[in-house]
Amino acid sequence: MTQAHFVPLEFVEYPAEEMARRAAEFCSEMQRRRSVRHFSDRPVPRAIIEDCLRVAHSAPSGANKQPWHFVVVGDPETKRRIRAAAEAEERAFYEHRAPQAWLDDLAPLGTGPDKPFLETAPYLIAIFAQRYGLRPDGGREQHYYVQESVGIATGMLIAALHHAGLATLTHTPSPMNFLSEILGRPPHERPYLLLITGYPAPDATVPALSKKPLEEVVTFI
Ligand code: IYR
């Protein structure tokens, strides 16, 4: 067992007005974030993606076990294979797997089985959740709150990419097992989500959606 060891917190305090300004600015910046389905093939420096992944990797996790793995796919042939496998699942979903109510709920998004962005966008980030860890000796390391931890890291990654000036799409073709196979990930890792990122296409459009009023989703007591 490793003993607790403490170091000073690096905390930056802002004067009240600056705090208010920062909160408001970040709010407007994040409110501009949209799920984008039309991507440009413009290249994006890998260093940008790496910094955003550092943000994701700084996320809190159950007992600090960091139960995630990120595979960044920029290779065209691998993207092509992912697109083919994802579209096969999506076709089954849209043609017979999805109940009508689900299709009705998706109608406002204008989605369909064709996913050209899986080849157009410069990067597909496949996020894997580790059900347990593997020690160098092959022993298993217990992981905790895996879904929550990976969800938090994913949210931070989306925010970091948006903040950097890139568009993203959270994509969850279902089932996603093909990602483990194509990307050669081990069985203790489950594909969690595919995050598409890059510049939006110059003529990109997004569905006209709105969020519920804050009062409906927040209660102060
Ligand atoms: N995975 C499909 C369907 C889909 C499901 C939900 I829930 C969405 O919010 C969006 C799409 C697709 O990507 O088209």
Side-chain angles (χ1 to χ4, degrees):
M1 201 172 59
T2 319
Q3 272 302 317
H5 173 66
F6 290 88
V7 293
L9 170 67
E10 280 178 45
F11 180 76
V12 179
E13 179 170 332
Y14 302 103
E17 316 79 68
E18 195 181 341
M19 186 191 263
R21 184 182 54 72
R22 289 174 61 91
E25 278 179 5
F26 193 62
C27 174
S28 10
E29 183 180 347
M30 290 308 293
Q31 283 183 326
R32 281 199 310 271
R33 186 208 57 79
R34 295 297 311 264
S35 290
V36 169
R37 293 184 172 82
H38 308 111
F39 281 86
S40 154
D41 62 1
R42 255 171 94 186
V44 169
R46 177 176 155 161
I48 304 285
I49 306 297
E50 280 178 8
D51 265 346
C52 294
L53 287 166
R54 283 189 180 93
V55 173
H57 186 40
S58 75
S61 63
N64 190 36
K65 297 290 182 175
Q66 306 151 63
W68 40 64
H69 190 89
F70 303 89
V71 181
V72 184
V73 183
D75 170 57
E77 172 56 18
T78 310
K79 287 197 280 183
R80 195 196 56 73
R81 291 179 64 200
I82 290 175
R83 177 183 179 183
E87 286 184 338
E89 296 296 353
E90 297 292 8
R91 249 184 307 271
F93 175 84
Y94 284 97
E95 279 167 20
H96 56 263
R97 219 184 273 146
Q100 191 55 44
W102 194 345
L103 294 177
D104 293 347
D105 278 339
L106 291 181
L109 305 184
T111 55
D114 297 327
K115 307 296 180 191
F117 52 76
L118 292 173
E119 283 189 89
T120 320
Y123 294 113
L124 315 178
I125 307 177
I127 304 170
F128 289 85
Q130 299 180 330
R131 290 181 290 144
Y132 52 87
L134 273 188
R135 301 210 180 89
D137 68 359
R140 287 184 184 195
E141 171 125 347
Q142 179 78 43
H143 282 174
Y144 310 92
Y145 298 102
V146 172
Q147 296 298 309
E148 293 84 349
S149 303
V150 180
I152 293 166
T154 300
M156 290 174 62
L157 179 57
I158 293 167
L161 289 163
H162 175 73
H163 180 69
L166 291 170
T168 58
L169 175 67
T170 47
H171 184 45
T172 52
S174 167
M176 284 193 281
N177 314 344
F178 64 84
L179 282 178
S180 305
E181 200 181 307
I182 295 176
L183 303 176
R185 298 313 303 170
H188 69 288
E189 288 183 4
R190 291 267 161 85
Y192 181 83
L193 193 140
L194 191 58
L195 194 66
I196 291 90
T197 193
Y199 288 98
D203 58 351
T205 58
V206 290
L209 304 176
S210 59
K211 298 294 186 192
K212 297 170 185 170
L214 198 67
E215 302 73 54
E216 201 177 319
V217 300
V218 179
T219 304
F220 282 92
I221 295 179

